[in-house]
Amino acid sequence: MPHYTCLPVAGYAIRVAPGEKIDLREHDPARHDGLKREDALAALDRFQLELAELQEELYGAAQHSVLVVLQGLDASGKDGVIRRVMNCMSPQGVRVESFKVPTAEELAHDFLWRIHRVVPRKGMVGVFNRSHYEAVLVERVHNLVPKATWKKRYAQINAFEEVLRDGDTIVVKFFLHVSKSEQRKRFVEREQDPDKAWKLAVGDWTEREVWNENRRAYEDALSRCSTDAAPWYIVPADRKWFRDLAVCETLVQTLRAYREQWRDALREISRQRLAELAGITERV
Amino acid sequence: MPHYTCLPVAGYAIRVAPGEKIDLREHDPARHDGLKREDALAALDRFQLELAELQEELYGAAQHSVLVVLQGLDASGKDGVIRRVMNCMSPQGVRVESFKVPTAEELAHDFLWRIHRVVPRKGMVGVFNRSHYEAVLVERVHNLVPKATWKKRYAQINAFEEVLRDGDTIVVKFFLHVSKSEQRKRFVEREQDPDKAWKLAVGDWTEREVWNENRRAYEDALSRCSTDAAPWYIVPADRKWFRDLAVCETLVQTLRAYREQWRDALREISRQRLAELAGITERV
């Protein structure tokens, strides 16, 4: 099937080991491993070709679903990753779910209810723009729930994600790691571009006042909820082209492990279909 | 905003006038208006740039939703249009709904129930891979419901689509018109390519036995349900590159009519946001 040579994986995103204690100040958001922009874009093209093919095999075999969780502060590039990485796959096999401030109906349920009802079915790639992690991020940082409530949620999230994995969902979680100075630069750019100013949110600047609280909340989510069932990856996000490459490469690396299994399943489906067709004697 | 010159519209897809009586034998599925493949692909690129921009404005302004209905016989290219045309837009703003054989739950409701609950919200592009029209196509051709039932549905569909339009949904319906010989060619290709055989459906060949019944059912749907609120377009689909260009061009042409309105809305949002930001005196 491949119409290209598979690129080797460089590991641009950092996988958090289960139980590893993360200090985000030790991770450089501007890291780019000496890569040049043009080379990164060329590599991204190659990985996207492969990701598109893997998605088609996932879709056809329908043995697994894929859940991509995107988290990160404002202007860290969640929308950009969706627009520039995910669009290599057929829109038919990808469903993006954006989680905003919970509605009244959502608040009338437990914190995982609105999440669980939209997890991807087999064959599909679900992309979560924000996710259940907001329940241990914004809700913690802004005291929207008591500490006793959010403290229990780490284990509850791990149990939930294990259920997803046991239901044949491949879970990959990305934290887009942007620096405070790069975030400022992006806010100012939006403000000065009349075509982009509508993307500004009122809380953008005020949220920077709790930068360290947000950092610590992310550190706890990364440290406590990176499991074999659902690993977290830290993505340096100050350079958009490195961020996109790191996300795409990680997805390809993750899905490659299933390729042979999916191809076997597709060959089996093909065999069955051809056998059924052989029974049709007359073809108009 | 535009970083390109807008291409003029050639009208490659045929818009069915309200009340027009359609005879599909008068429409050539191989029509390509003398266009060459390379030129069509270049034009498609240009229209896709514009469609991507229009989608972003639709998303930001969130004043309308867009519903794209794709209908056509097996191998007419519904999946191909989704993969090759719709992927120019951010996956965040596009949601594809594929309607298969109704589930028990869906059959326990009226024929529009499963359709209505997944129409796109404002800002979004909904793409229906098959649709409520199956209720006057497969259900008619295979006598799944009495004639008295499907005959009433044309008016019911028109009333439903008028409600969508009045709810600010821009409805565009495409019939992908493939010839019987081209369909055969594509079936045989799938059968002979071990990487594509899994895409074969058992009913593919037998459905050709009711080719004329399907044609007449489509003719009635096109003739009775092309309205100002929700026009039908006939897309020559024997050449994939011409089909993709015709669909993309029609979408661009349809959405261009709203561009100024959306840009005004975005400018107003930008003004409000900047005014709110001006109130923040200290910026950390």
Side-chain angles (χ1 to χ4, degrees):
Chain A
M1 279 185 197
H3 311 291
Y4 53 82
T5 4
C6 293
L7 280 185
V9 158
Y12 296 124
I14 301 293
R15 181 174 173 141
V16 180
E20 184 183 352
K21 190 86 190 72
I22 293 296
D23 181 340
L24 283 172
R25 291 165 300 191
E26 293 167 1
H27 293 262
D28 178 10
R31 181 169 69 77
H32 59 101
D33 294 4
L35 219 61
K36 290 207 185 73
R37 185 171 181 278
E38 315 81 80
D39 297 332
L41 292 176
L44 177 62
D45 274 352
R46 297 270 295 279
F47 279 122
Q48 284 194 304
L49 277 179
E50 190 174 349
L51 183 56
E53 189 178 277
L54 285 161
Q55 180 265 324
E56 205 179 334
E57 291 163 348
L58 163 80
Y59 189 84
Q63 294 188 331
H64 297 84
S65 46
V66 174
L67 175 58
V68 180
V69 170
L70 294 175
Q71 287 284 164
L73 295 174
D74 292 326
S76 61
K78 300 182 291 295
D79 294 353
V81 163
I82 294 172
R83 192 170 58 247
R84 274 182 287 225
V85 178
M86 306 304 169
N87 71 344
C88 68
M89 299 181 277
S90 173
Q92 187 148 248
V94 180
R95 179 160 292 207
V96 179
E97 301 286 349
S98 301
F99 296 97
K100 318 263 182 192
V101 176
T103 63
E105 178 71 8
E106 288 167 353
L107 285 173
H109 294 84
D110 68 83
F111 80 104
L112 290 173
W113 177 79
R114 65 172 182 160
I115 307 295
H116 209 161
R117 57 209 300 262
V118 294
V119 297
R121 56 173 294 150
K122 284 184 182 167
M124 294 291 293
V125 177
V127 180
F128 283 5
N129 187 346
R130 303 186 185 276
S131 68
H132 43 301
Y133 282 93
E134 293 297 327
V136 290
L137 295 166
V138 63
E139 296 193 27
R140 161 179 163 168
V141 170
H142 292 282
N143 301 305
L144 304 182
V145 293
K147 183 171 183 181
T149 300
W150 60 253
K151 279 208 87 123
K152 292 172 69 180
R153 285 178 172 168
Y154 299 98
Q156 291 166 345
I157 287 174
N158 287 342
F160 170 62
E161 291 177 350
E162 190 184 278
V163 170
L164 295 183
R165 195 269 316 268
D166 288 353
D168 299 315
T169 300
I170 302 162
V171 184
V172 192
K173 301 178 294 193
F174 294 103
F175 167 60
L176 306 184
H177 189 209
V178 74
S179 66
K180 201 170 176 184
S181 55
E182 176 65 20
Q183 190 194 50
R184 163 183 285 271
K185 193 170 140 256
R186 293 182 186 175
F187 283 175
V188 171
E189 272 170 14
R190 287 182 185 175
E191 219 168 314
Q192 288 169 349
D193 182 345
D195 288 345
K196 282 188 179 173
W198 62 269
K199 293 181 183 175
L200 292 165
V202 190
D204 283 353
W205 285 97
T206 50
E207 190 64 18
R208 287 167 62 85
E209 292 166 13
V210 287
W211 184 272
N212 283 323
E213 288 82 348
N214 268 312
R215 177 177 54 73
R216 279 190 291 267
Y218 265 107
E219 284 169 351
D220 278 346
L222 295 165
S223 304
R224 296 182 191 186
C225 297
S226 195
T227 61
D228 288 332
W232 267 114
Y233 289 86
I234 301 173
V235 177
D238 272 10
R239 288 178 169 84
K240 294 176 183 177
W241 47 266
F242 190 76
R243 170 200 76 196
D244 293 344
L245 175 60
V247 168
C248 192
E249 183 209 49
T250 305
L251 287 174
V252 166
Q253 179 184 21
T254 304
L255 302 188
R256 268 182 191 169
Y258 298 87
R259 171 176 280 153
E260 280 317 308
Q261 183 181 342
W262 295 340
R263 289 193 179 164
D264 285 346
L266 290 176
R267 276 187 284 264
E268 179 54 32
I269 296 171
S270 293
R271 247 193 307 274
Q272 284 173 16
R273 295 283 159 83
L274 289 171
E276 285 162 351
L277 276 173
I280 304 173
T281 46
E282 201 189 355
R283 296 195 178 180
V284 292
Chain B
M1 277 185 196
H3 311 291
Y4 52 82
T5 5
C6 294
L7 280 185
V9 158
Y12 296 124
I14 301 293
R15 182 175 173 138
V16 180
E20 185 182 350
K21 190 87 191 68
I22 294 296
D23 181 339
L24 283 172
R25 291 166 298 191
E26 293 168 1
H27 292 264
D28 179 9
R31 180 168 68 78
H32 60 101
D33 294 4
L35 219 59
K36 288 204 185 77
R37 186 171 179 277
E38 316 81 80
D39 297 332
L41 292 177
L44 177 61
D45 274 352
R46 298 270 295 279
F47 277 122
Q48 284 193 304
L49 277 179
E50 191 175 348
L51 183 56
E53 190 178 276
L54 284 162
Q55 181 265 324
E56 205 179 333
E57 291 164 347
L58 163 79
Y59 188 84
Q63 294 188 331
H64 298 84
S65 47
V66 174
L67 175 59
V68 180
V69 170
L70 293 176
Q71 286 284 165
L73 294 174
D74 292 326
S76 61
K78 300 181 291 296
D79 293 354
V81 162
I82 293 171
R83 191 170 60 248
R84 274 183 287 227
V85 178
M86 305 304 170
N87 72 343
C88 68
M89 299 181 277
S90 174
Q92 183 147 249
V94 180
R95 180 160 292 208
V96 179
E97 301 287 349
S98 301
F99 296 97
K100 317 262 180 190
V101 176
T103 63
E105 178 72 10
E106 288 169 351
L107 284 172
H109 294 84
D110 69 83
F111 80 103
L112 290 174
W113 177 78
R114 65 173 184 159
I115 308 294
H116 210 161
R117 56 210 301 262
V118 293
V119 297
R121 56 173 294 149
K122 284 184 183 170
M124 294 291 293
V125 177
V127 180
F128 282 5
N129 188 345
R130 303 187 185 273
S131 66
H132 43 302
Y133 281 95
E134 293 297 327
V136 290
L137 295 166
V138 65
E139 296 193 27
R140 161 178 163 169
V141 170
H142 292 282
N143 300 307
L144 304 182
V145 293
K147 182 170 184 181
T149 301
W150 59 254
K151 279 209 86 122
K152 290 172 71 180
R153 287 178 171 169
Y154 299 98
Q156 291 165 345
I157 287 174
N158 287 343
F160 170 63
E161 291 177 349
E162 189 183 276
V163 169
L164 295 183
R165 196 269 315 269
D166 288 354
D168 299 315
T169 299
I170 302 162
V171 185
V172 193
K173 300 179 295 194
F174 294 104
F175 167 60
L176 306 184
H177 188 209
V178 73
S179 66
K180 201 170 177 182
S181 56
E182 176 66 21
Q183 190 195 49
R184 164 183 284 271
K185 192 169 143 258
R186 293 181 187 177
F187 283 174
V188 170
E189 272 170 15
R190 286 182 186 176
E191 218 168 314
Q192 289 170 348
D193 182 346
D195 288 345
K196 283 187 179 172
W198 61 271
K199 294 181 183 176
L200 291 165
V202 190
D204 282 353
W205 285 98
T206 50
E207 190 65 20
R208 287 166 64 84
E209 292 166 13
V210 286
W211 184 272
N212 283 324
E213 288 80 351
N214 268 312
R215 177 178 54 73
R216 278 189 291 268
Y218 266 107
E219 284 169 349
D220 278 345
L222 294 165
S223 303
R224 296 182 192 185
C225 297
S226 194
T227 60
D228 288 331
W232 268 114
Y233 288 86
I234 300 172
V235 177
D238 272 10
R239 288 178 168 85
K240 294 176 182 177
W241 47 269
F242 190 76
R243 170 201 76 194
D244 293 342
L245 175 60
V247 168
C248 193
E249 183 209 50
T250 305
L251 287 174
V252 166
Q253 177 184 24
T254 303
L255 302 188
R256 268 182 191 168
Y258 298 87
R259 172 177 279 153
E260 281 316 308
Q261 181 181 344
W262 294 340
R263 289 193 179 166
D264 284 347
L266 290 176
R267 276 187 284 265
E268 180 53 31
I269 297 170
S270 293
R271 249 195 306 276
Q272 284 172 18
R273 295 282 160 83
L274 290 172
E276 285 162 351
L277 277 174
I280 304 172
T281 46
E282 202 190 355
R283 297 196 176 177
V284 292

